[in-house]
Amino acid sequence: MQHANSVYHKSVVYGIVALMLVPIIATLAYSLSSRWGATILPDGFTLDWYRQLLSDVRFVEAFGRSLLVCVAALALSTVLILPAIFVVFYYFPQLDKLMNLLILLPFAVPPVVSSVGLLQLYADSSVPMVRTPWILIGTYFTIALPFMYRAIANSFTAINLRDLMDAAHLLGASTLQAFWHIVLPNLRKGLMAALFLSFSFLLGEFVFANILAGTRYETLQIYLYNMRQTSGHFTSALVMTYFLFIFICTWLASRIGAKS
């Protein structure tokens, strides 16, 4: 009976995985096909669509812009969030519940509403912000904040911060030295996992990028949206390239998280 239940559960899991893989495999096959009309199988296979994509300067520039904005936002998040979490956990642990509530606020407001509010706020500003990467960096910082805070806070809890700091102080280290040489190395794996997961999420963000930047600062998602009317084979190659990159980032995050 137990063996039968195990087989049934495995069959259900494998069936669900197979259903999830069908559209991915179909998109991959379409991106590799030279022509696919009314037949069940493609008429031929080719890598020309990937060659066109990777040789498109517009795609390379859009990909570079997305990387720039995401990396800058995550660097800003790391510089600001790490010291803030350290202060909360070491000096004011009673504020942790309040911080957990505050970091959920970015999810309380829909992205469209936030974008319209930012447009109204910075439209008449003397410093040009709209249609520039700077407004995207600030916006992506708020998006990454919940992911970064929760992951790093879990790492702080796991390392028993107060005991580490007390031991460092007994050995003559200052608070800054203890944080830099003892606490930070213990947070490295958790921090890297948080960065990879946040990066995977930010790279796929579309609403803020479309409303706040648009074609004036074309990111990868905007490029994908603008190229939707071109050849379906080319669009499929673009989707699969994006999917592969996100898959690698997610895999690295899971590997790092499993070792932390």
Side-chain angles (χ1 to χ4, degrees), residues 222-240:
I222 303 301
Y223 174 82
L224 175 60
Y225 176 78
N226 292 334
M227 298 300 289
R228 71 190 188 282
Q229 299 296 341
T230 59
S231 169
H233 300 280
F234 181 85
T235 307
S236 297
L238 173 58
V239 171
M240 290 308 303

Side-chain angles (χ1 to χ4, degrees), residues 32-96:
L32 294 172
S33 63
S34 56
R35 210 178 62 143
W36 198 349
T39 58
I40 296 178
L41 297 176
D43 294 336
F45 290 95
T46 179
L47 293 174
D48 288 343
W49 307 114
Y50 287 93
R51 293 193 189 99
Q52 292 181 24
L53 175 66
L54 298 177
S55 62
D56 187 359
V57 177
R58 187 176 165 191
F59 165 74
V60 176
E61 291 178 347
F63 189 75
R65 293 189 191 102
S66 293
L67 290 180
L68 174 64
V69 172
C70 293
V71 171
L74 292 177
L76 179 64
S77 300
T78 303
V79 170
L80 295 180
I81 293 175
L82 262 179
I85 301 178
F86 174 76
V87 170
V88 168
F89 271 76
Y90 188 60
Y91 293 105
F92 308 103
Q94 67 276 10
L95 294 180
D96 183 44

Side-chain angles (χ1 to χ4, degrees), residues 64-75 132-138 140-141 202 217 219:
R65 293 189 191 102
S66 293
L67 290 180
L68 174 64
V69 172
C70 293
V71 171
L74 292 177
T132 67
W134 308 113
I135 193 169
L136 287 182
I137 292 173
Y140 283 8
F141 165 75
L202 292 179
Y217 192 79
T219 59

